[in-house]
């Protein structure tokens, strides 16, 4: 075990605030990610909230302001459990940094994506109890963790439009994989916004404010926005670039993973693919010759409409340096973009270019896990 109850081989990008992702092979073949393996993304120190005195305040454009304890929430509406993938907008940023450096942002690999079974109550039920007034367009989330990364330093926050907030899949969750939320994952209560970038799934939720406008929190108004490649993030202000919401179609090769030494010959290549919001993964192609020829992978059925899909394909690895490539289509017929260079942006968000796993199949040694930092 390392920090925050995570497995010892996490790739730790930062100790404080804690930012870590599992090695890719640890996600392979696991439709649900164990809590000790689930990536952790934080912008400030992890709060230690007392569940007994914790309250959730609901205000803004509502008929009735609410001040709820955990017991009130549990009593207020029937509990719901669903499986949802969280994917950070910075997932696979390392592929963008390889194109051009991105100072100040961590080189996340494809492990800033994990899937859990979440239990809580629909946000829609709480909003219905409060009663939305006319003009209600956005639902803003407030948390107590103060981030020095924000300018000026401020607690983390974000918002989603009312249409998403009142959709039945958006949960106020107190449990993850049937265990109470751990501190690192937002205890005692977090938002889970399935199908949207992870940034909107606000942890340590203490406030909900219904508004005519999106949250003016730094992490909604200034960060997690896609700037044009030539923009200077140091001078970009609130509202610049485009606001990120629904997750983009993406995929990653998990096993054998990028950087591994493997034996040439027959193997099975596996990975994940994920399509945000109301799209699903329709097809995944895999190449073991850098994209000259392709085989169609078998897709596992997802654990639910908001979960990633794992895929597998038998392959014959040639001897030498092997470039495994994977690319996914979604149910709209859209294919991932081929090149990371076309996607480069100053904050390094949404690298959903074709996934590459570069393998060393020069000798017939047994497979080794790719070790962080190796
Ligand atoms: N309060 C708070 N909520 C937060 C964050 C944060 O720093 N503070 N990080 C966000 C981001 S960017 C992501 S990707 C997810 C990560 O959730 P996890 O740490 O449970 O994996 O939490 C989101 N919610
Ligand atoms: Mo994120």
């Amino acid at each position: 075990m390392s920090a925050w109850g995570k497995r010892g081989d996490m790739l730790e990008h930062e100790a404080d605030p804690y930012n870590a992702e599992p090695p890719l092979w640890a996600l392979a073949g696991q439709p649900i990610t164990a809590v000790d393996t689930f990536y952790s993304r934080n912008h400030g120190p992890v709060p230690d909230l007392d569940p007994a005195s914790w309250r959730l305040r609901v205000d803004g454009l509502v008929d009735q302001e609410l001040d709820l304890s955990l017991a009130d929430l549990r009593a207020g509406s029937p509990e719901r459990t669903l499986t949802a993938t969280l994917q950070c907008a910075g997932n696979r940023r390392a592929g963008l940094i390889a194109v051009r450096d991105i100072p100040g942002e961590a080189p996340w690999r494809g492990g800033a994506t994990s899937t859990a079974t979440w239990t809580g109550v629909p946000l829609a039920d709480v909003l219905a109890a409060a009663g939305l007034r006319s003009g209600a367009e956005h639902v803003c989330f407030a948390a107590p963790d103060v981030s020095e990364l924000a300018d000026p330093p401020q607690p983390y926050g974000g918002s989603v439009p009312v249409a998403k907030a009142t959709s039945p899949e958006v949960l106020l969750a107190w449990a993850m994989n049937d265990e109470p939320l751990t501190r690192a994952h937002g205890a005692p209560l977090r938002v889970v916004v399935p199908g949207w970038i992870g940034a909107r799934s606000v942890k340590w939720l203490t406030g909900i404010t219904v508004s005519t406008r999106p949250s003016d929190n730094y992490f909604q108004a200034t960060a997690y926005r896609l700037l044009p490649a030539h923009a200077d993030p140091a001078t970009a202000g609130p509202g610049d670039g485009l606001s990120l919401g629904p997750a983009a179609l993406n995929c990653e090769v998990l096993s054998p993973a990028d950087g591994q030494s493997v034996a040439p010959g027959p193997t099975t290549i596996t990975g994940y693919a994920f399509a945000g919001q109301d799209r699903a993964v329709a097809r995944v192609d895999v190449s073991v010759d850098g994209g000259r020829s392709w085989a169609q992978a078998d897709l596992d059925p997802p654990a639910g409409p908001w979960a990633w899909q794992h895929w597998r394909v038998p392959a014959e690895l040639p001897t030498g340096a092997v470039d495994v490539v994977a690319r996914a289509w979604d149910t709209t017929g859209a294919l991932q973009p081929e090149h990371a260079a076309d996607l480069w942006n100053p904050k390094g968000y949404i690298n959903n270019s074709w996934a590459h796993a570069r393998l060393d199949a020069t000798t017939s040694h047994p497979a080794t896990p790719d070790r962080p930092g190796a």
Side-chain angles (χ1 to χ4, degrees), residues 6 17-20 38-45 47 86-90 108 112 114 118 142-145 147 155-157 176 181-182 184-186 190-191 197-205 219 224:
K6 295 293 167 184
Y18 182 62
N19 281 291
F38 203 104
Y39 81 98
S40 185
R41 174 80 181 98
N42 301 292
H43 298 77
L86 291 191
Q87 184 159 96
C88 185
W108 293 85
S114 301
W118 309 94
D145 53 321
S147 175
Y156 191 87
M176 179 179 182
L181 280 183
T182 60
H185 289 293
R190 78 176 300 167
V191 189
I197 62 163
R200 308 306 175 218
S201 290
V202 173
K203 302 188 274 190
W204 313 291
L205 184 70
F219 295 100
Y224 293 105

Side-chain angles (χ1 to χ4, degrees), residues 22 34 69 90 101 123 133 149 163 165 183 188 194 197 224 230 232 276 291 295 299 355 371 373:
S69 67
D101 196 23
L123 171 59
R133 287 184 12 214
L149 301 167
R183 264 181 73 192
I197 62 163
Y224 293 105
H230 58 79
D232 176 3
L299 282 173
R371 262 178 280 281

